[in-house]
């Protein structure tokens, strides 16, 4: 039996409320994950509910992994492995792999990434004779936006989203059709298609929706405030035969409207699911009372929100500090000086994070961190799976799995160089179009099309067919290692780069990739097929932290200050937070101010404040350098309106005279120590 005695009364109420629609309003740091983990364990162990009938959905692979680990610790592997705990997109792929033939696709479909998508958009705009007139990324973004609103390429022209007077919309109407036809030809879908096609499947084939609704009798959705229209439609399909839906979220942390998140999903839950029970988790286990006092005051001004007030037993008289700084460089300088002081006092750097509204604010901070020899990492840099050599090997795997994947095929056709250039490619492309067959089929059917290229064409197709068999008979890491060796990929890296360090780093990236395949195999045992591994690679999501970096050189990684945007910080927490640039037209952002809606920006500020466990510093500048000019700045309205409430201390750090005595002494001590160190070195 699973004991619920360790939960507080509200958490226990949430864990024990199983039947019907339930909304758990979980404030920041209120033990949300613990609550839903115990809820699942209680259902399985205490109520004897079949774990196969339970579905838990989160937004990121990281959150899904954490949920699986926690449930496994409570229930053990035997019971927990029967549960389905996944992301929306992983669930969509799982359904599509079984049902997509109903929509006219083959089961071995490929999921194109953004570079593959942009290649098709470029081709479409070229055919439209407007490749110089329109931004490919804007066009692709609009197509993604349409899909997330349930608008297909055939619906677009007749929808409210189409303006026949707008040249962009007219171009997109052509490109959208071209794009979808190309995807179908390659037996490929894009990331937005995963949910778009799953919802279409449920709508067009209600028996399919009923099948999965009857399979998953108890459904839990995490971070419900971030759901968009498609995800809501998917949830409706999954609950078509019952109403056992439990959603967990916090409207005050809804910060993803630019991704299509619909706040009304959580605000109007009771009207959309009549008879719903609402349970509030308001006890905060993360932050001190002074930090929560500020957070509550900041967010309560928003009108469109559910009434709740966070509280904590962690009493503290140490108020958050706001520093007025002279300019951008001074802001970075005093922030890093404080971190250097903490480092000297023995504080662990991994307990410190610097948050900002925009990535453009990071550069001066990085510069001062380097000058002070403070190790740091930036979340949101180049992802491991976006590195060229890694993408090359992934493309080989995708072609081995699905030779119809023409974009992956074209990527690796001459990597490493095997003498198949543009002229050869164009000849075979022309043949494939004439006969309406895939490029790969043209290679197989007409290897003698260009006599002096017959040998290299046959060698290439043999690599693909040989490894299709090898991956069936041998392990993932062994097969990938053989592929790397067979195509002489390491020698290709050596020839492509003069810098020895770059060569080693890029070779090491391939080794790390092979190790990730070995890790995947060790965790998935009998399910570690090339198809499932490729699916895992394609579903790496942008909200996840760099998984491989977390596992490699862990001792080095943890001794680093973390820099990230406020959006990236959601779900994380640190002992000490530096919230940089809390000023008008930065937070709230200028665009939001101009458009007359700052509610989401206020929620973003709230998210930043509630990342801090013990200490919170906020900064703003008298003037900030923008586009090469020094522009006067003012304290954000989110805090300026609260100056009389004594929720923070406001310190002018531009002169010694306005510093507190304590801060002035600390500054002097740090200044003279650095001066003596410099003199000693000289």
């Amino acid at each position: 039996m699973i004991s619920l005695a360790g939960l507080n009364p509200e958490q226990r109420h949430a864990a024990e409320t199983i039947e019907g629609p339930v909304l758990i309003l979980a404030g920041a740091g209120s033990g949300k994950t613990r609550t839903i983990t115990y809820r699942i364990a209680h259902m399985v162990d205490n109520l004897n509910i079949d774990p196969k009938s339970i579905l838990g959905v989160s937004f990121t692979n990281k959150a899904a992994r954490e949920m699986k680990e926690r449930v496994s610790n409570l229930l053990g592997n035997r019971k927990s492995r029967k549960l389905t705990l996944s992301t929306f997109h992983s669930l969509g792929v799982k359904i599509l792999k079984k049902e997509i033939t109903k929509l006219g696709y083959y089961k071995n479909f490929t999921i194109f990434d953004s570079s593959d998508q942009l290649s098709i958009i470029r081709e479409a705009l070229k055919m439209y004779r407007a490749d110089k007139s329109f931004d490919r990324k804007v066009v692709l973004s609009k197509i993604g936006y349409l899909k997330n609103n349930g608008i297909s390429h055939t619906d677009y022209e007749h929808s409210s989203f189409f303006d026949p007077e707008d040249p962009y919309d007219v171009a997109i109407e052509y490109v959208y059709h071209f794009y979808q036809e190309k995807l179908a030809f390659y037996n490929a879908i894009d990331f937005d298609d995963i949910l778009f096609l799953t919802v279409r499947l449920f709508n067009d084939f209600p028996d399919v929706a009923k099948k999965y609704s009857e399979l998953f009798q108890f459904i839990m959705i995490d971070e419900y405030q971030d759901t968009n229209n498609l995800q809501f439609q998917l949830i409706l399909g999954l609950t078509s035969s019952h109403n056992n839906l439990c959603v967990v979220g916090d409207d005050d942390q809804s910060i993803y409207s630019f991704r299509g998140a619909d706040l009304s999903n959580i605000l109007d839950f009771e009207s959309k699911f009549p008879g719903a029970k609402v349970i509030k988790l308001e006890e905060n286990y993360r932050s001190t009372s002074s930090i929560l006092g500020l957070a509550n005051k900041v967010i309560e001004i928003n009108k469109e929100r559910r009434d709740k007030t966070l509280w904590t037993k962690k009493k503290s008289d140490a108020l958050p500090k706001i520093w007025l700084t002279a300019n951008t460089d001074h802001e970075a300088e005093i922030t890093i000086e404080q971190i250097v002081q903490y480092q000297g006092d023995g504080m662990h750097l991994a307990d410190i994070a610097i948050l900002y509204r925009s990535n453009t604010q990071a550069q001066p901070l990085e510069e001062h961190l380097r000058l002070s020899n403070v190790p740091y990492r930036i979340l949101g840099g180049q992802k491991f799976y976006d590195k060229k050599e890694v993408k090359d090997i992934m493309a080989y795997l995708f072609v081995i799995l699905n030779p119809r994947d023409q974009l992956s095929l074209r990527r690796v056709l001459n990597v490493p160089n095997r003498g198949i250039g543009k002229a050869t490619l164009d000849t075979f492309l022309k043949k494939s179009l004439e006969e309406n067959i895939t490029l790969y089929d043209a290679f197989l059917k007409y290897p003698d099309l260009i006599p002096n290229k017959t040998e290299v064409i046959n060698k290439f197709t043999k690599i693909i067919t040989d490894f299709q068999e090898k991956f069936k008979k041998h392990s993932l890491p062994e097969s990938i290692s053989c592929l790397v060796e067979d195509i002489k990929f390491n020698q290709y890296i050596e020839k492509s780069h003069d810098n020895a360090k770059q060569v080693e780093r890029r070779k090491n990236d391939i080794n790390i990739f092979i190790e990730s395949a070995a890790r995947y195999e060790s965790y998935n045992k009998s399910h570690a097929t090339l198809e499932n591994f490729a699916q895992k690679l394609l579903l790496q999501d942008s909200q996840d932290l760099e998984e491989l970096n977390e596992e490699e050189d862990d001792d080095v990684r943890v001794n680093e200050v973390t820099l990230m945007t406020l959006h990236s910080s959601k779900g994380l927490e640190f002992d000490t937070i530096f919230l940089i640039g809390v000023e008008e037209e930065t937070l709230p952002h200028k665009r939001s101010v101009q458009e007359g809606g700052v509610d989401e920006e206020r929620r973003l500020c709230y998210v930043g404040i509630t990342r801090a466990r013990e200490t919170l510093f906020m900064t703003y500048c008298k003037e900030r350098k923008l586009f090469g000019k020094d522009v006067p700045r003012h304290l954000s309205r989110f805090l300026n309106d609260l100056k009389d409430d004594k929720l923070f201390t406001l310190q002018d750090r531009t002169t010694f005279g306005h510093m507190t005595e304590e801060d002035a002494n600390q500054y002097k001590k740090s200044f003279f120590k650095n001066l003596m160190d410099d003199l000693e070195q000289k």
Side-chain angles (χ1 to χ4, degrees):
M1 292 285 287
I2 295 294
S3 172
L4 303 180
L7 303 179
N8 69 36
E10 290 75 22
Q11 290 173 335
R12 181 161 186 161
H13 182 34
E16 291 178 332
T17 306
I18 306 302
E19 303 286 340
V22 181
L23 167 60
I24 302 174
L25 277 175
S30 62
K32 171 194 71 172
T33 306
R34 177 179 171 83
T35 303
I36 56 181
T37 300
Y38 271 88
R39 186 178 191 271
I40 293 171
H42 170 65
M43 291 166 71
V44 174
D45 226 35
N46 300 347
L47 303 181
N48 296 316
I49 292 172
D50 185 350
K52 289 181 181 177
S53 69
I54 299 173
L55 168 66
V57 183
S58 61
F59 272 80
T60 68
N61 294 318
K62 181 175 179 287
R65 278 197 304 272
E66 184 181 359
M67 186 72 67
K68 287 176 185 176
E69 288 166 6
R70 291 204 188 188
V71 172
S72 180
N73 289 337
L74 289 173
L75 291 175
N77 288 328
R78 187 176 62 84
K79 291 180 179 177
S80 64
R81 68 168 172 257
K82 295 178 182 178
L83 296 161
T84 300
L85 303 174
S86 72
T87 64
F88 273 104
H89 288 90
S90 294
L91 175 66
V93 170
K94 183 177 180 179
I95 294 170
L96 290 176
K97 281 170 72 173
K98 293 180 179 177
E99 314 288 350
I100 200 168
T101 53
K102 292 181 174 64
L103 298 177
Y105 292 81
Y106 299 102
K107 284 189 176 181
N108 66 334
F109 61 87
T110 299
I111 305 170
F112 278 5
D113 65 13
S114 58
S115 62
D116 297 330
Q117 294 172 269
L118 288 169
S119 294
I120 301 177
I121 300 296
R122 184 194 297 115
E123 188 180 352
L125 287 171
K126 195 172 181 181
M127 295 291 289
Y128 189 67
R129 303 197 176 190
D131 50 318
K132 306 294 184 188
S133 309
F134 299 99
D135 187 318
R136 288 178 295 138
K137 290 184 178 179
V138 172
V139 172
L140 181 58
S141 177
K142 178 67 179 280
I143 290 173
Y145 176 76
L146 291 169
K147 288 183 179 182
N148 278 295
N149 280 278
I151 307 297
S152 71
H153 62 292
T154 53
D155 297 333
Y156 176 45
E157 188 180 4
H158 311 289
S159 74
S160 61
F161 296 91
F162 180 73
D163 179 1
E165 303 299 319
D166 187 335
Y168 248 105
D169 281 10
V170 175
I172 288 168
E173 196 271 330
Y174 172 85
V175 172
Y176 196 1
H177 276 271
F178 183 97
Y179 177 76
Q180 288 305 123
E181 287 169 7
K182 280 290 183 182
L183 286 179
F185 182 75
Y186 298 149
N187 192 40
I189 65 176
D190 64 26
F191 200 73
D192 295 312
D193 276 328
I194 295 172
L195 297 185
F196 179 73
L197 292 178
T198 307
V199 169
R200 182 178 146 199
L201 190 65
F202 282 6
N203 290 339
D204 292 355
F205 302 92
D207 56 315
V208 174
K210 185 181 178 185
K211 169 184 169 182
Y212 287 96
S213 180
E214 290 176 347
L215 172 63
F216 299 121
Q217 287 289 315
F218 298 90
I219 296 171
M220 294 175 61
I221 311 293
D222 193 12
E223 302 289 3
Y224 187 66
Q225 77 280 350
D226 293 335
T227 52
N228 61 23
N229 178 55
L230 269 186
Q231 288 155 344
F232 178 73
Q233 294 300 321
L234 183 64
I235 292 165
L236 288 181
L238 289 169
T239 55
S240 57
S241 68
H242 62 80
N243 66 348
N244 297 325
L245 172 66
C246 174
V247 302
V248 188
D250 180 9
D251 52 305
D252 289 335
Q253 296 186 75
S254 179
I255 58 174
Y256 293 119
S257 66
F258 65 94
R259 290 181 185 161
D262 186 350
L263 185 61
S264 70
N265 286 348
I266 192 167
L267 293 180
D268 303 335
F269 185 77
E270 296 95 319
S271 64
K272 293 176 179 178
F273 297 95
K277 297 170 185 173
V278 180
I279 302 166
K280 297 180 185 179
L281 305 184
E282 296 174 292
E283 182 176 358
N284 178 285
Y285 294 92
R286 175 189 300 157
S287 305
T288 63
S289 56
S290 57
I291 290 171
L292 281 188
L294 175 61
N296 285 329
K297 278 291 184 180
V298 165
I299 200 63
E300 71 179 20
I301 296 173
N302 273 0
K303 297 287 189 292
E304 291 291 311
R305 66 181 292 266
R306 288 177 172 269
D307 181 44
K308 57 186 170 302
T309 303
L310 296 185
W311 62 276
T312 182
K313 294 174 183 175
K314 291 174 64 176
K315 301 300 179 186
S316 173
D317 295 325
L319 295 176
K321 291 181 181 178
I322 298 181
W323 288 339
L324 169 60
T325 65
N327 52 40
T328 310
D329 284 327
H330 183 231
E331 176 184 59
E333 183 181 347
I334 65 167
T335 298
I336 307 314
E337 277 177 359
Q338 184 67 57
I339 291 173
V340 169
Q341 182 183 320
Y342 279 149
Q343 188 181 23
D345 293 340
M347 180 181 281
H348 213 265
L349 292 179
D351 294 330
I352 302 172
I354 304 175
L355 312 182
Y356 35 78
R357 176 63 178 84
S358 167
N359 278 313
T360 57
Q361 294 169 257
Q363 190 272 330
L365 294 161
E366 282 193 80
E367 191 174 314
H368 282 275
L369 284 163
R370 285 195 296 267
L371 287 171
S372 301
N373 293 317
V374 176
Y376 68 95
R377 63 170 179 156
I378 297 184
L379 295 190
Q382 186 186 27
K383 298 291 183 186
F384 178 80
Y385 295 104
D386 286 340
K387 295 181 177 181
K388 180 193 178 299
E389 284 76 14
V390 174
K391 283 182 72 92
D392 287 341
I393 296 300
M394 284 168 58
Y396 267 104
L397 301 187
F398 298 153
V399 174
I400 291 164
L401 185 64
N402 174 21
R404 295 177 65 90
D405 181 352
Q406 185 166 308
L407 292 183
S408 292
L409 177 64
R410 288 169 69 165
R411 181 183 185 103
V412 299
L413 195 54
N414 205 37
V415 174
N417 191 308
R418 52 175 62 91
I420 304 178
K422 186 177 183 303
T424 303
L425 174 62
D426 287 345
T427 301
F428 277 94
L429 280 172
K430 184 179 178 184
K431 192 68 176 175
S432 71
L433 288 170
E434 286 173 359
E435 303 215 359
N436 196 29
I437 58 176
T438 69
L439 178 60
Y440 184 76
D441 286 339
F443 288 146
L444 289 176
K445 194 172 180 181
Y446 301 104
D448 301 323
L449 189 61
I450 306 174
N452 66 336
K453 297 293 180 181
T454 301
E455 185 179 353
V456 292
I457 294 295
N458 283 334
K459 276 186 178 179
F460 177 75
T461 55
K462 189 174 188 305
I463 288 170
I464 304 303
T465 53
D466 284 355
F467 277 91
Q468 284 174 334
E469 291 304 311
K470 190 175 283 290
F471 273 97
K472 291 175 185 174
K473 297 175 182 176
H474 300 280
S475 71
L476 280 171
E478 183 183 349
S479 299
I480 297 170
S481 295
C482 287
L483 175 65
V484 169
E485 187 176 336
D486 198 60
I487 63 176
K488 297 181 171 55
F489 198 70
N490 282 329
Q491 291 92 316
Y492 162 70
I493 291 174
E494 289 168 2
K495 289 177 183 175
S496 303
H497 305 282
D498 296 327
N499 187 301
K501 284 186 178 179
Q502 263 199 2
V503 168
E504 282 310 304
R505 182 169 55 77
R506 289 167 192 262
K507 283 184 181 179
N508 190 51
D509 286 339
I510 300 304
N511 291 333
I512 291 173
F513 180 73
I514 294 169
E515 286 167 17
S516 76
R519 257 192 312 276
Y520 176 81
E521 192 168 75
S522 69
Y523 286 126
N524 292 274
K525 307 295 181 190
S526 59
H527 300 293
T529 62
L530 175 60
E531 182 178 5
N532 288 336
F533 181 58
Q535 175 188 321
K536 179 250 185 189
L537 296 175
L538 291 163
L539 290 178
Q540 294 296 324
D541 60 75
S542 60
Q543 293 181 53
D544 286 341
L545 302 188
E546 183 62 66
E547 176 185 342
L548 294 169
N549 284 349
E550 288 183 357
E551 294 170 357
E552 302 298 322
D553 298 326
D554 199 52
D555 290 338
V556 175
R557 183 190 68 81
V558 295
N559 192 34
E560 298 171 327
V561 175
T562 302
L563 278 70
M564 69 186 111
T565 64
L566 285 163
H567 283 98
S568 298
S569 74
K570 188 165 167 288
L572 304 177
E573 57 186 72
F574 298 85
D575 283 353
T576 300
I577 289 290
F578 291 87
L579 182 45
I580 303 300
V582 186
E583 58 201 31
E584 284 295 297
E585 299 192 353
T586 300
L587 183 68
H589 194 278
K590 182 178 181 179
R591 185 171 57 250
S592 298
V593 174
Q594 290 172 338
E595 293 172 358
V598 297
D599 280 11
E600 184 157 320
E601 293 290 302
R602 188 181 294 278
R603 293 194 290 270
L604 201 53
C605 182
Y606 172 81
V607 165
I609 292 169
T610 53
R611 298 313 92 196
R613 297 189 192 108
E614 306 288 341
T615 310
L616 173 63
F617 294 95
M618 294 167 283
T619 68
Y620 74 107
C621 297
K622 279 187 174 179
E623 56 184 28
R624 186 176 293 278
K625 193 171 286 294
L626 298 171
F627 306 108
K629 294 182 179 179
D630 290 321
V631 181
R633 311 299 276 177
H634 304 283
L635 181 62
S636 168
R637 68 187 70 185
F638 302 151
L639 299 174
N640 196 51
D641 295 344
L642 307 176
K643 275 196 291 195
D644 296 334
D645 291 345
K646 297 180 180 176
L647 296 166
F648 51 80
T649 58
L650 183 57
Q651 299 173 354
D652 187 337
R653 295 296 302 270
T654 58
T655 66
F656 271 118
H658 288 85
M659 284 189 191
T660 64
E661 186 177 351
E662 179 191 358
D663 282 312
N665 287 334
Q666 287 175 349
Y667 182 91
K668 290 171 187 174
K669 183 179 175 183
S670 171
F671 176 82
F672 286 117
K673 182 182 181 299
N674 291 337
L675 180 62
M676 293 304 293
D677 287 346
D678 288 343
L679 289 172
E680 199 173 316
Q681 288 175 10
K682 290 178 182 176

